[in-house]
Amino acid sequence: MVRSGEEPKPAGRATDGTGPARLRDRFLQGEPVDTGVRTSILNSWRRSRSLGLSPDETDLPYREDFDPGGRIVRAAVPVLDRLQDAFSGSQINISVADGNGTVLLRRFGDPSMARNLPAIQRVPGFVFAEQVAGTNGIGLALAERQLIRVYGAEHFAERSQGNACVAMPVRDPLSGRIEGVLCFGYPRGFEQPALSAAIRRAAENIERRLLGQSSAHERALLRTYLATGSEAGLYSGVALDAVADEFPARDQAILREKAAELISRGQRAAIDVPLPGGRRVTLVSRPMTSASGVRGFAVEAVLPGASAGGSLVLPHQADELPDLAALSAAPWPARPSISLQSGYLAAAPAPAVAPDGDLGPAGYGDTGRAEGVSGAADGAGGVADGGGGVTGGGAGAVDGGRDVADGAGVPPYGGRGAVDDRTGSPFPARGLVMVGEPHVGAYALAARRRLELLSEASARIGTTLDVRRTAEELAETAVPRLADFVTIDLPDAVLRGEESADPLADLRRTVLHGVREGLPFTQPGKRMEFGPTAPQLHCLARGEAVLEPDLKAAAGWLAQDPEHTARLLAHVHSLIAVPLLARGVVLGIASFYRAGSSFGDDDRSLAQELAARAALSIDNARRYTHERTMVLALQRRLLPHGLPDQDAVEVAHRYLPAESDVGGDWYDVIPLSGTRVGLLVGDVVGHGMLSAATMGRLRTAARSFAELDFSPDEVLTHLDNLVGRLDREDPDGKGAGVIGATCLYAVYDPTEQRCLMARAGHPPPALVHPDGTVSYPDLPAGPPLGLGGLPFDTVELDVPEGSQLVLYTDGLIEDRHRDVDMVLDQLRAALAHPERAPDETCQAVLDTVAPAHPHDDIALLVARVHALDPGRIAAWELPADPAVVAEVRASAMRRMADWGLDETAFAAELILSELITNAIRHGAGPIRVRLLYGRTLICEVSDVSNTAPHLRRAASTDEGGRGLFLVAQLSQSWGTRYLPEGKVIWAECGLDAA
């Protein structure tokens, strides 16, 4: 059985300890690290720093006076021996520390470790408390009081950076007090999920042995008490309330709590109760029966070393249980006022009772100790609060300190006490603390356990916004403290984040969790169909939990599937079926099974409360899943659905949404004039619907700016202005939705094999050369979009044919549990395979570089560049002389004939004539003409003038103004592209143009 409960493990690669390393260094330098570090670790770092601890300190305090044979050691030795055998040959270092963090025992999976490890890791006696050792497993388990894992760099001290550990507090089952800590230390590479289950089982075994020790100790005290006891008589002592002024309230509370625990066991018992100041009092419980047959127990407080005699004697069989309130209010005989010397308490003589309960003469001597008695009282696994009908009563004037058997005085609580006329003793040595019925105390313990389980459920259920995981948390919380097995069935619609129109029609087994595996339950993933008489259907119809105490007598349960239920009856005995309802929506059914004892009404109420809390968390997860599905659908709808036709690059892309929420990452491939292509990736800050919608607006705007043939820095400038405007136009007037965005824009020209790039706060691209070397171009970062007023720089790079350009968003490399430099090295290694196709490169990057549990979206674009065949390029340079137009036109016709474009030549000839004539008449020389033969035929005419022609409708009386109209009619598209000096007028003709 594996149970969760420790703090969630960091996602991604944090388990090797390298993730938090830089964060720890930043913390030690005084920088804020509020994100990226688990809360318990960060709090421990802060406590360590506030204590003035140094991470470089190698020595730890050593205690020579530690007890090598105490309770925790005796209980742990057999368990550690078994653990050592289980981990034989491994690098596991097993240790047990006391409640102060002092290591008492050590075991090693590999015996050679005892020779190679430093003393602090192999010799008992060193103190690992947080206040002296900083963040470590033992110290943090004591501070957090729960199972704790510490990974490598999460340790405060440098000496522990290479190790990891898991530690679990060990509690006294009776008091709940932490007796010590069990800790597994190991190298970071040995990390295994099963260690949590192993350390839980081992800690529980130690706690059971502690309970056995307590039971043996108490029974030894009981035998001593019964052997020395008291003679029959009526109550004539004083109650606890009667000496309240002399009896400290804190001590009263301690005695009453322990007395309630004794009563809950329903047996004769005695315990030694330590009180503040080193005092000790013995509490003794004895049975009694009223005339009406009500069986109860009385708890007496007895001073250590009291002389023979006592002021409280309860008969073995009394007619009625004493009413403590009546006893306290009853008139007492007149007592002489006797003053004693301060610091001493007179003890009264007491008769004795034989071990079998019969009265007999004996003297009460020293409280003895007997070993070897085992067996734990059922229901004694916690400390009762004394409520639920257990009656608080009196106690004699009790005190601890030195034993009075040797004649030494015992310090009293007060200077005055009541007088016992019957015995003549000025102070009672024994007094009544509490009377009550055993089942009432047991109910108090059970109630406390229920409260503890509900409190734990509040912390354990709903830690994620995943429907399936939330259902698993409900099962893990209930097993084994409420049930032995739990099954949870949810409709498919709920798992998708929707409301189910007919929950019974699409129920599916979602969770199966129990104390052991291999039982014939329907396995997860299977469709569930319950018969009309099944308790699961009854619970849905009634809207509340249905209890079947004995499944062998549950006809409805047996009838739903006789063959299957018959097999289950060999393993389960009782059932509680609970509907999962939240906000009026049916979310599923939870079934709790016990293998041995039957469930009761209290168990049904507890199961229903657990299910109600879990249902709210499941519904929250369902609503989140629904919203995330809608946002993801919008995000994918706004991303490109196909790749445009172009020859400059061979492109592959991937989009991977974050696990927790969908962001605003996007990519685009934009064909441009002159066979060029634009490559674009961007990331809108934030998550959710607003980020996805903003991403769509930015992608559309970026594509529009790019198609206007703006340079990369100009495109980013226009996007920067747009983001700023969106902020200002926020309907709330606070700009809380759109904070900003990052972007990288690259334009590749296959005719020159060069690339222009600019980025706005975005990670740099990777350039994979044909020989396999990978580089990250030194590209100015630029400010993120939305800041406004800051320039962007364009860088020009040579990109040989066959190279790959890799553009990505920060979700690929930035993870709070990983070092960015290390991730960039991993990316470099993944890309160093130029023979891979772009699609294969995308998959390899996601498999090896992407975090295991991405907290941010990932957009990846891989483009292998190609060069335009020089034989398909024709260029001429001519002066601004109209006489040369015919010559250039003739040369162009010959080249198109060589290319076999005779059908396109007529339209191209007219286009070239018009564009060259316009350049000569309205531009400035020199004039350049270029023909590019690819998927289409592109005619380009450039000059050094910055004036651009505009298409207009010419009037019937105009002599000119029709040239560009002809160009627009004869070409597929045309436009103007500006250069650093001058412009290019281009027109694109289809190859089938006539």
Side-chain angles (χ1 to χ4, degrees):
M1 177 185 64
V2 179
R3 293 179 292 168
S4 61
E6 65 269 25
E7 191 172 1
K9 186 169 69 175
R13 302 178 60 85
T15 54
D16 63 1
T18 60
R22 285 196 168 191
L23 294 170
R24 174 180 168 276
D25 294 340
R26 287 172 50 193
F27 171 82
L28 295 175
Q29 294 169 6
E31 298 180 22
V33 289
D34 293 336
T35 59
V37 182
R38 291 185 290 152
T39 303
S40 60
I41 299 297
L42 182 58
N43 290 340
S44 180
W45 286 356
R46 289 170 175 166
R47 291 193 297 266
S48 301
R49 186 171 62 180
S50 66
L51 292 169
L53 300 180
S54 171
D56 300 322
E57 185 177 351
T58 57
D59 295 328
L60 289 178
Y62 180 80
R63 293 187 55 184
E64 296 182 351
D65 58 343
F66 71 94
D67 185 2
R71 292 183 68 228
I72 185 71
V73 172
R74 296 198 306 272
V77 164
V79 179
L80 262 63
D81 289 341
R82 291 195 295 271
L83 287 173
Q84 186 175 22
D85 292 338
F87 291 110
S88 176
S90 69
Q91 295 298 302
I92 288 284
N93 182 343
I94 309 166
S95 59
V96 170
D98 62 17
N100 298 317
T102 303
V103 174
L104 307 177
L105 289 172
R106 285 202 179 274
R107 294 288 190 274
F108 306 97
D110 185 351
S112 65
M113 295 173 63
R115 298 189 299 270
N116 302 328
L117 291 175
I120 61 174
Q121 294 184 356
R122 58 182 174 84
V123 178
F126 285 95
V127 181
F128 284 82
E130 186 186 72
Q131 56 266 33
V132 295
T135 307
N136 69 91
I138 293 175
L140 196 53
L142 289 173
E144 295 288 332
R145 306 180 67 82
Q146 64 177 343
L147 187 146
I148 286 292
R149 287 178 178 268
V150 183
Y151 307 93
E154 291 180 335
H155 288 89
F156 186 77
E158 292 286 348
R159 61 175 175 269
S160 304
Q161 296 295 293
N163 301 321
C165 63
V166 56
M168 178 79 178
V170 177
R171 288 178 168 83
D172 186 326
L174 296 181
S175 67
R177 185 174 65 89
I178 293 179
E179 290 286 332
V181 176
L182 176 63
C183 181
F184 294 170
Y186 47 89
R188 291 198 306 249
F190 188 79
E191 175 66 32
Q192 295 181 4
L195 289 178
S196 292
I199 200 169
R200 283 187 182 278
R201 288 194 297 268
E204 289 170 356
N205 288 336
I206 296 175
E207 290 174 352
R208 281 195 290 269
R209 293 183 61 82
L210 284 173
L211 183 62
Q213 290 182 14
S214 299
S215 179
H217 175 67
E218 292 154 12
R219 293 189 179 214
L221 290 177
L222 177 60
R223 282 199 303 271
T224 301
Y225 173 72
L226 295 176
T228 56
S230 58
E231 73 177 16
L234 297 177
Y235 179 83
S236 58
V238 294
L240 189 62
D241 295 338
V243 291
D245 292 339
E246 289 82 11
F247 205 90
R250 181 174 54 176
D251 295 349
Q252 294 181 42
I254 294 174
L255 292 175
R256 283 175 175 152
E257 183 179 31
K258 293 298 184 181
E261 180 186 338
L262 284 176
I263 292 175
S264 71
R265 300 180 190 179
Q267 63 180 29
R268 294 176 181 267
I271 60 174
D272 224 7
V273 181
L275 296 175
R279 301 182 298 271
R280 306 184 73 84
V281 172
T282 300
L283 292 183
V284 181
S285 66
R286 297 200 297 148
M288 50 194 298
T289 304
S290 69
S292 60
V294 177
R295 297 183 60 83
F297 276 77
V299 178
E300 306 169 59
V302 183
L303 289 179
S307 62
S311 53
L312 169 66
V313 176
L314 292 175
H316 184 61
Q317 299 289 335
D319 290 338
E320 294 291 342
L321 286 172
D323 186 318
L324 295 182
L327 288 171
S328 299
W332 295 94
R335 307 178 184 212
S337 176
I338 301 177
S339 299
L340 294 181
Q341 180 180 354
S342 177
Y344 290 86
L345 174 66
V353 61
D356 57 1
D358 296 331
L359 304 177
Y364 184 83
D366 190 27
T367 54
R369 298 289 184 269
E371 303 297 336
V373 182
S374 61
D378 187 25
V383 179
D385 57 6
V390 180
T391 305
V398 284
D399 200 346
R402 290 176 294 170
D403 196 320
V404 298
D406 59 0
V410 180
Y413 284 102
R416 184 178 62 84
V419 180
D420 185 350
D421 284 341
R422 184 177 63 82
T423 61
S425 172
F427 288 95
R430 307 170 65 179
L432 182 67
V433 178
M434 189 176 291
V435 293
E437 299 175 69
H439 67 272
V440 175
Y443 287 162
L445 287 178
R448 179 159 184 161
R449 291 196 188 99
R450 288 195 294 271
L451 290 174
E452 290 174 347
L453 182 57
L454 290 175
S455 175
E456 181 179 338
S458 299
R460 292 182 60 179
I461 300 176
T463 59
T464 69
L465 287 171
D466 180 81
V467 173
R468 193 180 304 273
R469 179 57 194 151
T470 304
E472 291 172 353
E473 290 169 344
L474 168 60
E476 292 168 358
T477 302
V479 176
R481 296 169 64 177
L482 173 62
D484 296 319
F485 304 94
V486 174
T487 64
I488 299 178
D489 308 311
L490 303 179
D492 286 335
V494 172
L495 293 172
R496 295 192 303 267
E498 305 168 3
E499 291 187 18
S500 178
D502 186 3
L504 296 178
D506 62 347
L507 272 180
R508 190 173 298 277
R509 176 60 47 85
T510 305
V511 175
L512 169 60
H513 185 70
V515 294
R516 62 182 182 274
E517 299 178 354
L519 268 66
F521 285 102
T522 302
Q523 294 302 305
K526 302 292 185 180
R527 293 293 299 271
M528 297 300 301
E529 295 183 1
F530 295 105
T533 59
Q536 286 82 357
L537 291 192
H538 284 177
C539 76
L540 283 182
R542 295 163 53 181
E544 60 182 25
V546 172
L547 168 63
E548 293 288 355
D550 186 359
L551 288 176
K552 293 181 180 179
W557 184 78
L558 294 170
Q560 62 176 325
D561 187 349
E563 182 180 353
H564 179 235
T565 53
R567 295 197 304 270
L568 271 180
L569 278 177
H571 305 281
V572 296
H573 173 71
S574 189
L575 163 69
I576 298 176
V578 189
L580 297 174
L581 302 173
R583 303 180 180 98
V585 178
V586 177
L587 302 172
I589 301 171
S591 302
F592 301 85
Y593 295 89
R594 273 188 185 169
S597 60
S598 297
F599 286 115
D601 289 334
D602 290 340
D603 298 315
R604 177 174 57 184
S605 299
L606 177 58
Q608 183 150 333
E609 179 66 22
L610 284 176
R613 298 190 182 197
L616 284 175
S617 297
I618 291 174
D619 192 48
N620 290 337
R622 180 192 65 82
R623 290 167 178 257
Y624 166 78
T625 301
H626 181 63
E627 180 179 350
R628 184 178 186 274
T629 301
M630 289 193 302
V631 174
L632 184 57
L634 174 63
Q635 173 87 352
R636 293 192 183 279
R637 183 64 182 171
L638 294 174
L639 289 173
H641 292 282
L643 298 177
D645 293 332
Q646 46 80 38
D647 295 323
V649 294
E650 178 187 353
V651 180
H653 53 81
R654 293 288 191 279
Y655 170 73
L656 184 65
E659 276 194 354
S660 58
D661 208 345
V662 179
D665 292 17
W666 88 91
Y667 58 87
D668 210 344
V669 179
I670 309 168
L672 301 176
S673 63
T675 69
R676 298 172 306 136
V677 66
L679 304 174
L680 187 70
V681 291
D683 182 5
V684 175
V685 175
H687 299 84
M689 187 71 72
L690 181 60
S691 295
T694 302
M695 178 275 291
R697 299 172 73 177
L698 291 184
R699 176 180 170 252
T700 301
R703 189 177 188 93
S704 299
F705 297 145
E707 289 177 343
L708 290 175
D709 274 322
F710 291 144
S711 62
D713 59 311
E714 290 178 307
V715 170
L716 296 182
T717 299
H718 287 295
L719 288 176
D720 183 48
N721 294 334
L722 174 61
V723 174
R725 187 163 62 253
L726 292 176
D727 260 336
R728 293 190 297 272
E729 293 175 355
D730 180 68
D732 296 332
K734 300 178 181 178
V738 181
I739 301 174
T742 65
C743 186
L744 170 63
Y745 182 43
V747 177
Y748 173 68
D749 187 347
T751 64
E752 299 180 359
Q753 300 179 45
R754 297 185 67 80
C755 187
L756 295 176
M757 296 183 187
R759 62 180 176 134
H762 202 83
L767 177 59
V768 184
H769 295 271
D771 61 359
T773 59
V774 181
S775 63
Y776 298 101
D778 186 11
L779 188 62
L785 301 177
L787 295 183
L790 298 175
F792 301 94
D793 297 321
T794 296
V795 172
E796 187 173 11
L797 300 175
D798 290 324
V799 183
E801 182 177 12
S803 300
Q804 289 188 11
L805 279 171
V806 181
L807 286 67
Y808 49 87
T809 55
D810 57 2
L812 178 67
I813 63 171
E814 293 182 7
D815 184 83
R816 58 188 177 183
H817 304 301
R818 301 189 299 170
D819 183 80
V820 173
D821 292 337
M822 179 188 69
V823 177
L824 289 175
D825 289 340
Q826 292 177 343
L827 179 60
R828 189 192 306 272
L831 295 176
H833 298 276
E835 73 282 357
R836 288 177 178 159
D839 193 74
E840 295 174 342
T841 300
C842 281
Q843 194 59 47
V845 169
L846 292 184
D847 291 341
T848 59
V849 182
H853 305 281
H855 295 280
D856 196 4
D857 290 14
I858 298 175
L860 178 63
L861 188 67
V862 177
R864 171 173 287 161
V865 301
H866 300 291
L868 186 62
D869 185 356
R872 290 177 172 241
I873 302 174
W876 299 271
E877 183 170 334
L878 57 148
D881 183 359
V884 300
V885 174
E887 180 182 345
V888 173
R889 188 169 59 233
S891 299
M893 292 295 289
R894 288 193 296 271
R895 180 57 64 93
M896 285 186 284
D898 294 340
W899 288 340
L901 301 179
D902 296 330
E903 294 182 359
T904 309
F906 175 75
E909 181 182 11
L910 292 178
I911 290 172
L912 280 176
S913 296
E914 180 59 31
L915 294 183
I916 295 173
T917 302
N918 280 346
I920 293 174
R921 294 180 62 182
H922 304 291
I927 297 172
R928 295 181 178 85
V929 178
R930 188 169 70 159
L931 293 179
L932 303 176
Y933 172 31
R935 291 176 179 269
T936 60
L937 180 65
I938 300 173
C939 305
E940 294 183 346
V941 177
S942 62
D943 62 79
V944 297
S945 171
N946 289 324
T947 60
H950 298 281
L951 181 65
R952 66 185 180 88
R953 183 178 295 275
S956 58
T957 57
D958 291 342
E959 294 184 1
R962 296 176 178 82
L964 285 181
F965 180 77
L966 291 176
V967 170
Q969 295 300 310
L970 293 173
S971 63
Q972 291 181 347
S973 60
W974 72 280
T976 302
R977 180 171 76 247
Y978 287 94
L979 303 174
E981 293 183 359
K983 65 181 181 298
V984 175
I985 309 297
W986 59 270
E988 185 174 350
C989 298
L991 299 184
D992 57 349

